[in-house]
Amino acid sequence: MQKNNNRLNRIDEELKKEISNIISYELKEPNVTGLISVTKVKTTPDFKFAKVYVSILNSKNTKKTMDGLRKSAGFIRTQVAKKVNLRITPQINFELDDSMEYGEKIEAILKDINKGE
């Protein structure tokens, strides 16, 4: 079981790297704006689905960017299939990872607290 888990982790990392490159260099969707980072990829053990967590900074419209990514999922999957040698290329589902925004918010709160001292 552990060996299979390691394989899944390696595949998640490989997908993360490739999807990141595809979004940065190959995606020509006008609604996808801002700095998009793929923060994590979780693939199901049967390799049918992959949840791709993205964080979006400096976007004109985060909702439009997420919609654009979701619309482009088929194209991204096709590109992944060409680059990553897997028997099954997982169906990609994009999720917004707002942990970076959350972290910035916490940092701002802490700075305000420190100013008050």
Side-chain angles (χ1 to χ4, degrees), residues 26-41:
E26 297 175 36
L27 194 61
K28 301 206 174 9
E29 168 66 52
N31 287 333
V32 177
T33 59
L35 178 67
I36 299 164
S37 303
V38 177
T39 54
K40 186 166 75 174
V41 174

Side-chain angles (χ1 to χ4, degrees), residues 31-91:
N31 287 333
V32 177
T33 59
L35 178 67
I36 299 164
S37 303
V38 177
T39 54
K40 186 166 75 174
V41 174
K42 284 304 274 167
T43 311
T44 55
D46 61 1
F47 301 112
K48 289 207 165 92
F49 300 96
K51 252 190 194 171
V52 179
Y53 294 90
V54 292
S55 105
I56 303 169
L57 297 171
N58 305 334
S59 174
K60 292 178 192 144
N61 183 330
T62 303
K63 187 184 179 318
K64 268 189 177 170
T65 296
M66 284 305 292
D67 289 345
L69 283 173
R70 289 187 179 117
K71 272 190 207 139
S72 307
F75 167 78
I76 293 170
R77 182 182 184 196
T78 304
Q79 296 307 100
V80 166
K82 290 176 188 171
K83 295 174 178 159
V84 182
N85 188 11
L86 291 173
R87 214 174 5 190
I88 303 168
T89 303
Q91 187 176 325

Side-chain angles (χ1 to χ4, degrees), residues 55-57 62 96-106:
S55 105
I56 303 169
L57 297 171
T62 303
L96 185 60
D97 178 0
D98 50 13
S99 62
M100 284 175 84
E101 281 176 37
Y102 180 75
E104 286 173 10
K105 215 179 278 180
I106 296 293

